[in-house]
Amino acid sequence: MASRLLVLLAALVLFALRAFARFRRAVHAVSNHPGYRTLLNTLGPIENFFPRIPGVAPGAFHMWKRKHRDFEEHGWDVITYVTAFIGSSTNFYVADADVIKEITTHRSRFPKPIEQYKVLTFFGGNIVASEGEHWKRYRKIAAPAFSERNNKLVWDETRLIMQDLFTNVWGERAEIHVDHAVDITLPIALFVIGVAGFGRRIPWQDEDVVPAGHTMTFKTALHTVSENVFTRLLIPDWLLRAAPTARLARIRDAFAELEQYMREMIRARREHPAREERHDLFSSLLDASKDTDVRLQDSELIGNMFIFMLAGHETTAHTLCYILAMLAMHPEVQDKMYESVRCVTQNGRLPEYEDMRSLSYCEAVLYETLRMFPPVNSIPKSVAEDTAITITNADGERTTVPMPRGSSISIHTPGLHYNPRYWPDPHTFRPERFPAADWPRDAFLPFSARASSASRRVARV
């Protein structure tokens, strides 16, 4: 027994020495540039299970909780995160707008880490889980779908959805009580996606008639999938197929039902083309993919529709919820926003799509909310070759940071959005930042980074 314990102890010591040697080499490879030095690599889904313990783990939701504080403490807007055990790695946190622009512009040097996105391909290949020529192909098909006609469709249908809520749900009630604003904003976003994304209107008071050959309505399937996307990502296929609980069985069935609905929609629109022109995203992707050079397989069409639904549902709903919260906390902003809308829509008329450019203060409130509550906390990139970046801090000091091949990069959105170099008094809600012509566009990345104005309709996801 003693000899076995001795062998085990020797193996542990050898493992620790090797890990320490790797750790020292990794720190040396980045010229010991300031940042985190921890035992554990908690980047990814496991991050949220670890408390903040200096030298061990940075803590759950540390990017959001600390915002720009880590960069201030280390004196640079690019910091390193070198770990020793459990997935030892070298990472870079970036909250420098110039460096971010360099990273997103040079996709060959700093490609997307595709392996992290494979979990999003259970419906099929898509624009998020691709890079290089595959990404260009998907973008070529997707870009035309994000047109002025689709934007107008979103506007018009959103107005109808809100009228339906006011008339048929709230009716003549003088006061409306809602436990949580997201209980309103989630269905609003879902219904907009239903019609602008899939070309299917979903009323607030649905009859819930299940079509033949289905076990749930399109509305129920879409709602269940959108609510349980992250559960689906974490559950292995074998466990979902077994579905040991009623909740897992419902999630499994909802994903199967939504895929069946989308395949039926593809078949119906190919066999019976609509006489009127459609501008919903699904139809636009279907039309664009008719080109034999870039034609999408049905699984790819479904995969991309799923990604756009995933990107547009909770992000939109929670941003709307944050807007309502900030307006409630800042009544002076609420009053100013109300007056700006009233001046544009005089005599009680409903706002038209053509009024959008006149509602600049509404846009400013949206942008400031997205700055303070970005839907995406981290945009991952990887380092494809040994390279280096030159950075300048707030004091004007310059340094060159080596970036070894195989390192990972996290574009740190909260750090960027709360960086006082770009946003004075960043913790204050001030929509007036945005009407100015010179606001720092390169320091505003609520969803993803764009390397040029030509990419505005389809973010460089």
Side-chain angles (χ1 to χ4, degrees):
M1 178 64 71
S3 61
R4 291 181 180 177
L5 289 175
L6 188 60
V7 170
L8 178 60
L9 180 60
L12 289 175
V13 170
L14 181 61
F15 172 78
L17 289 174
R18 286 181 174 176
F20 181 71
R22 285 197 304 268
F23 175 76
R24 289 291 302 271
R25 288 195 297 270
V27 171
H28 178 73
V30 298
S31 297
N32 198 22
H33 186 72
Y36 283 111
R37 303 290 183 265
T38 64
L39 291 176
L40 306 180
N41 178 6
T42 60
L43 289 178
I46 67 170
E47 171 195 340
N48 302 330
F49 297 98
F50 287 86
R52 181 177 177 82
I53 305 175
V56 178
F61 304 106
H62 66 280
M63 285 188 173
W64 167 246
K65 289 180 179 178
R66 297 192 56 83
K67 299 181 176 64
H68 192 257
R69 197 182 316 163
D70 286 330
F71 300 97
E72 292 172 2
E73 290 177 359
H74 292 295
W76 299 94
D77 286 333
V78 176
I79 61 176
T80 55
Y81 176 10
V82 183
T83 61
F85 297 103
I86 307 181
S88 57
S89 64
T90 301
N91 312 278
F92 294 88
Y93 284 178
V94 184
D96 184 303
D98 291 334
V99 175
I100 291 171
K101 190 171 185 178
E102 180 178 355
I103 290 170
T104 57
T105 301
H106 298 92
R107 296 180 72 100
S108 59
R109 287 169 60 204
F110 306 106
K112 185 189 306 179
I114 296 300
E115 64 280 357
Q116 295 184 24
Y117 294 93
K118 290 301 182 184
V119 293
L120 297 174
T121 61
F122 42 74
F123 276 133
N126 56 71
I127 194 169
V128 167
S130 62
E131 188 62 300
E133 294 304 315
H134 287 294
W135 179 84
K136 291 178 182 178
R137 171 171 165 262
Y138 289 137
R139 187 181 181 279
K140 181 178 180 180
I141 293 173
F146 292 89
S147 62
E148 284 297 308
R149 292 177 298 184
N150 184 261
N151 291 342
K152 187 177 187 305
L153 175 66
V154 170
W155 182 284
D156 293 342
E157 293 296 335
T158 301
R159 195 173 67 176
L160 291 174
I161 289 166
M162 297 310 298
Q163 288 178 284
D164 186 23
L165 172 64
F166 296 151
T167 303
N168 298 318
V169 180
W170 290 347
E172 300 299 323
R173 283 185 283 174
E175 292 185 356
I176 306 298
H177 296 274
V178 180
D179 290 334
H180 197 307
V182 81
D183 294 335
I184 295 297
T185 60
L186 273 173
I188 290 172
L190 185 73
F191 298 167
V192 171
I193 287 173
V195 65
F198 296 93
R200 299 184 65 137
R201 285 198 175 99
I202 305 174
W204 286 86
Q205 296 177 326
D206 200 358
E207 295 180 358
D208 287 335
V209 177
V210 180
H214 288 272
T215 60
M216 59 181 68
T217 63
F218 176 79
K219 174 183 177 180
T220 302
L222 188 61
H223 177 70
T224 305
V225 166
S226 63
E227 277 196 330
N228 294 281
V229 165
F230 294 103
T231 301
R232 174 65 182 86
L233 296 179
L234 295 174
I235 299 297
D237 291 341
W238 64 267
L239 183 58
L240 194 66
R241 286 194 297 268
T245 67
R247 180 167 180 254
L248 286 182
R250 184 170 177 80
I251 294 172
R252 176 198 62 197
D253 294 344
F255 273 83
E257 285 287 302
L258 183 61
E259 181 176 3
Q260 182 180 343
Y261 273 115
M262 288 194 283
R263 290 191 181 279
E264 290 172 353
M265 291 163 62
I266 293 171
R267 185 167 59 252
R269 296 190 189 185
R270 282 177 176 162
E271 294 176 355
H272 307 287
R275 293 181 179 179
E276 73 279 6
E277 190 174 7
R278 293 177 180 264
H279 303 309
D280 60 89
L281 182 59
F282 191 85
S283 298
S284 298
L285 288 176
L286 198 59
D287 292 341
S289 70
K290 290 178 181 178
D291 186 337
T292 55
D293 292 335
V294 293
R295 182 181 177 88
L296 292 178
Q297 300 294 324
D298 288 357
S299 62
E300 293 177 305
L301 182 59
I302 295 172
N304 278 287
M305 281 304 305
F306 167 73
I307 285 299
F308 291 130
M309 181 198 75
L310 172 64
H313 181 224
E314 284 207 12
T315 53
T316 301
H318 285 96
T319 297
L320 289 173
C321 187
Y322 281 125
I323 288 174
L324 294 175
M326 299 310 287
L327 291 176
M329 293 171 62
H330 299 273
E332 73 286 356
V333 175
Q334 182 180 157
D335 291 342
K336 186 174 180 179
M337 184 174 174
Y338 172 78
E339 285 301 320
S340 71
V341 174
R342 194 178 65 83
C343 289
V344 173
T345 59
Q346 295 180 1
N347 302 320
R349 70 175 179 84
L350 294 174
E352 301 291 342
Y353 179 65
E354 291 71 23
D355 295 323
M356 184 170 64
R357 296 188 183 279
S358 301
L359 299 171
S360 58
Y361 194 70
C362 293
E363 183 179 52
V365 170
L366 169 63
Y367 279 16
E368 179 68 345
T369 304
L370 286 169
R371 183 192 68 80
M372 296 190 72
F373 304 96
V376 178
N377 282 339
S378 173
I379 303 170
K381 295 288 183 179
S382 58
V383 182
E385 60 189 47
D386 290 336
T387 187
I389 54 171
T390 300
I391 57 176
T392 305
N393 65 12
D395 296 327
E397 300 171 327
R398 291 170 64 86
T399 189
T400 298
V401 182
M403 304 183 83
R405 177 184 177 185
S407 304
S408 65
I409 297 171
S410 293
I411 296 176
H412 196 305
T413 312
L416 179 69
H417 284 192
Y418 284 80
N419 190 335
R421 293 175 65 186
Y422 312 115
W423 309 102
D425 195 12
H427 292 270
T428 299
F429 181 69
R430 198 167 71 233
E432 287 74 17
R433 302 176 196 272
F434 286 95
D438 58 347
W439 64 272
R441 286 168 171 77
D442 290 335
F444 182 64
L445 305 176
F447 292 100
S448 188
R450 300 173 298 191
S452 67
S453 59
S455 302
R456 288 183 180 178
R457 298 207 181 277
V458 181
R460 298 179 70 87
V461 290

